[in-house]
Amino acid sequence: MKFGAAASCDVSALLNVWESRVKKHRQRQKKEQERKERSALPTIEQQWQYRLYCRTLSTQQRNLLNGCRQRATHDTQAGAPPVGEAPQEDEVLSAGDDDLSFRLSGEQWKDFPKDLEWKTFLLEWHVSATKIQKLPDYLASFSLLRVLELAKNKLTRLTADIGKLHQLRQLNISYNRLSCVPAQLGMCRKLERLQVAGNRNLSELPFELSSLKRLAHLDIAENRFASIPVCALRMSALRLLDLSHNRLSDLPQDMDRLTELVTLLVHKNRLSYLPDCLTNIASLQMIVVSGDHLVCVPTKLCSNPSIKFIRLYDNQAKEKTTDVPRTTRRGREDEDDEDDEDEPKDGRDKEFMDAYVSTLKDREDMPFSTTKVTISCLL
C-alpha cells in the first residue's frame, strides 16, 4: 500500500512539472511572436522597396505618389484632407499612371507573384481570368488601394482583412465562386461601387454593409437572392441597383427608402407585380423588368414620361419548337434552377444587356416591349 501511494505521488509530481514546463514554453513562444510583430524589420524592408521604386519614377509621378500617401495618412489620422499639400483624389485617379496599378490576367496564374507584397504604394489592382482561389495574407498592408478588380477568377472566399482597405472606392468580385461576403467589408466606408454578380451560391449580404452610405452602384445580378438584402435598402446614396437574374418573387413595400435611385434592373426574376412605392421615388428614370409573368404594374410607372419603363420578353417561338412536353409552372422553375447550377457564368449575357440598356438611356422614343430573339444563319 505504501509503495502504491508513493508511485501515485511521483506520477502526480511529474505531471505538475510537465505542465509547468509546457506553460512556460507557450509563454516564451507568445513573447517571441509578439517581439517579431513589433520588430521594425518588415517596415524597414517595405520602406526600402518603396524608395527603390521611387527612383525609377519621373518627378511628376513621384509627386503624385507622395501626395497620395500624405493624403491617405492625414485622412486616417485626422479625418480631413490637408489644404494645399496633396493633389485632389480625382487628379490622382485620372492620372492614368500604369506604374500605380497592378494588372494580372491569364489562366497560368494560380497565385499572386511574390514581389507584389512590397508594392504597397499601389492604387489599383486589376486581376481577371486567372485560377487564383484566395487573396494574399498581406492584402491589409495596401492601405492606399482605391480600386480592387477581381472579376472572373476562382475565388472561393474573401479575407476579413478587406475591411482594412479604408481608401477603397471600387470593388468588383463578380463571376467567382463566392458563397458569402465578409461583414468586415462594411468598414470600407468610402466604397462607391460594389459588383458581386455571377457568384453561384451567393444568396445574402451581411447587415453590416448598411454602413456603406457612399455606395452609388450595387450589382448583385445572377445570384440566388430570394429577396432584396436588408442592407441594400439602407444604402441611402444608391443610384443603380441591379437585381436581375435572381429568384425574386416580389419587391418590398419600403423601396421608396432609396430616395436617390435612378436605375432599377429586376428582369429575369419571378415578379408578377411591382409595388406602388416605386412611384414615390422622384429620382427614378429607368426600370427594366421581365414581362412574361408581370400582371400588375402601377399606372404612374407606365405613363410617367420621365421614366423609361422597359419590358423584356423571352422568345416564345423558341419554346414552341422544343420537343419537351410542357410541365407545370413550378416544375419549369425547378428545372431552370438545376440548369443554372451547372451553367458556367461568364458575364456575356449581362454585358449584352448592359449595352442594350445603355443605348436606351438617351433615346426619346421607347419601345413598349422588347423580345429577345435568336438569329442563326447557314452560309
Side-chain angles (χ1 to χ4, degrees):
M1 296 295 291
K2 292 182 180 180
F3 177 78
S8 176
C9 181
D10 291 341
V11 171
S12 178
L14 288 174
L15 286 175
N16 291 334
V17 172
W18 176 256
E19 289 177 355
S20 63
R21 290 184 177 181
V22 170
K23 185 177 180 180
K24 290 181 180 179
H25 178 68
R26 289 178 178 174
Q27 290 176 348
R28 286 197 297 268
Q29 283 185 326
K30 184 178 180 180
K31 290 181 180 179
E32 179 65 16
Q33 182 65 26
E34 292 176 350
R35 186 191 66 80
K36 289 182 179 179
E37 291 177 354
R38 291 195 303 266
S39 175
L41 290 178
T43 303
I44 294 173
E45 179 69 17
Q46 179 177 327
Q47 292 176 352
W48 179 250
Q49 293 291 337
Y50 171 72
R51 290 180 180 179
L52 288 177
Y53 174 77
C54 286
R55 295 186 65 178
T56 65
L57 302 179
S58 64
T59 303
Q60 182 181 5
Q61 293 172 340
R62 194 178 298 114
N63 291 337
L64 270 176
L65 180 58
N66 290 334
C68 182
R69 289 175 63 89
Q70 293 173 9
R71 185 177 182 85
T73 303
H74 192 280
D75 286 348
T76 303
Q77 295 177 352
V83 179
E85 294 185 8
Q88 297 297 320
E89 295 174 7
D90 293 341
E91 180 184 351
V92 175
L93 293 178
S94 63
D97 188 3
D98 291 337
D99 292 328
L100 300 181
S101 65
F102 168 70
R103 299 182 182 276
L104 189 68
S105 180
E107 294 187 353
Q108 71 273 17
W109 292 100
K110 297 182 180 180
D111 202 354
F112 290 91
K114 294 182 179 180
D115 59 343
L116 177 63
E117 181 177 1
W118 307 111
K119 298 182 180 180
T120 56
F121 47 78
L122 293 173
L123 300 180
E124 301 182 5
W125 281 17
H126 299 272
V127 182
S128 63
T130 70
K131 291 187 177 181
I132 295 177
Q133 297 183 9
K134 65 176 183 177
L135 295 176
D137 297 333
Y138 50 79
L139 177 65
S141 61
F142 286 76
S143 58
L144 302 179
L145 208 59
R146 281 156 167 73
V147 178
L148 186 56
E149 294 276 348
L150 301 169
K152 299 182 181 179
N153 295 290
K154 306 295 183 182
L155 296 177
T156 56
R157 60 180 294 271
L158 288 181
T159 173
D161 286 345
I162 198 170
K164 298 179 181 179
L165 305 179
H166 299 300
Q167 303 296 325
L168 197 63
R169 266 67 166 179
Q170 300 180 25
L171 175 62
N172 186 352
I173 46 177
S174 298
Y175 302 104
N176 282 281
R177 298 177 177 179
L178 302 175
S179 57
C180 64
V181 174
Q184 289 79 0
L185 183 60
M187 300 171 62
C188 301
R189 304 294 175 85
K190 296 184 179 181
L191 199 63
E192 300 173 356
R193 186 182 182 96
L194 177 59
Q195 297 169 267
V196 203
N199 287 280
R200 298 179 181 177
N201 298 318
L202 191 64
S203 60
E204 60 182 10
L205 294 179
F207 182 78
E208 286 78 3
L209 268 60
S210 302
S211 59
L212 301 179
K213 301 302 182 182
R214 294 190 183 184
L215 197 70
H217 183 115
L218 178 59
D219 183 358
I220 53 176
E222 296 187 42
N223 288 300
R224 295 182 174 274
F225 287 92
S227 60
I228 296 181
V230 176
C231 62
L233 298 176
R234 286 163 171 76
M235 298 173 180
S236 53
L238 208 59
R239 294 178 57 85
L240 184 145
L241 178 58
D242 191 347
L243 290 155
S244 61
H245 216 298
N246 276 284
R247 299 178 175 182
L248 303 179
S249 57
D250 56 13
L251 298 179
Q253 296 295 332
D254 58 345
M255 280 202 65
D256 49 2
R257 296 168 60 107
L258 303 175
T259 56
E260 302 294 327
L261 192 63
V262 176
T263 303
L264 177 63
L265 308 178
V266 289
H267 54 282
K268 285 292 182 179
N269 279 286
R270 303 169 181 174
L271 298 176
S272 58
Y273 72 95
L274 296 180
D276 291 332
C277 63
L278 293 178
T279 60
N280 299 330
I281 306 178
S283 59
L284 200 58
Q285 297 180 8
M286 177 175 289
I287 302 177
V288 182
V289 298
S290 292
D292 298 273
H293 305 294
L294 198 64
V295 296
C296 183
V297 180
T299 306
K300 290 183 180 180
L301 291 181
C302 299
S303 59
N304 191 339
S306 62
I307 298 179
K308 295 182 178 179
F309 188 84
I310 304 169
R311 287 187 179 92
L312 300 179
Y313 289 87
D314 287 329
N315 186 8
Q316 302 296 329
K318 183 179 179 180
E319 293 184 0
K320 293 180 180 180
T321 56
T322 59
D323 296 332
V324 180
R326 294 186 61 86
T327 60
T328 62
R329 179 180 177 184
R330 180 67 237 176
R332 294 181 64 84
E333 290 174 351
D334 292 339
E335 291 174 4
D336 293 340
D337 292 342
E338 293 177 359
D339 293 340
D340 290 343
E341 292 180 0
D342 299 330
E343 181 183 359
K345 298 178 180 180
D346 55 8
R348 284 179 292 183
D349 289 343
K350 183 172 175 55
E351 291 173 0
F352 171 80
M353 276 302 308
D354 290 344
Y356 173 74
V357 170
S358 64
T359 60
L360 298 175
K361 289 182 178 180
D362 299 327
R363 289 179 55 177
E364 295 182 359
D365 56 330
M366 288 293 303
F368 181 74
S369 63
T370 303
T371 302
K372 181 181 177 181
V373 296
T374 302
I375 302 176
S376 60
C377 300
L378 181 62
L379 299 179

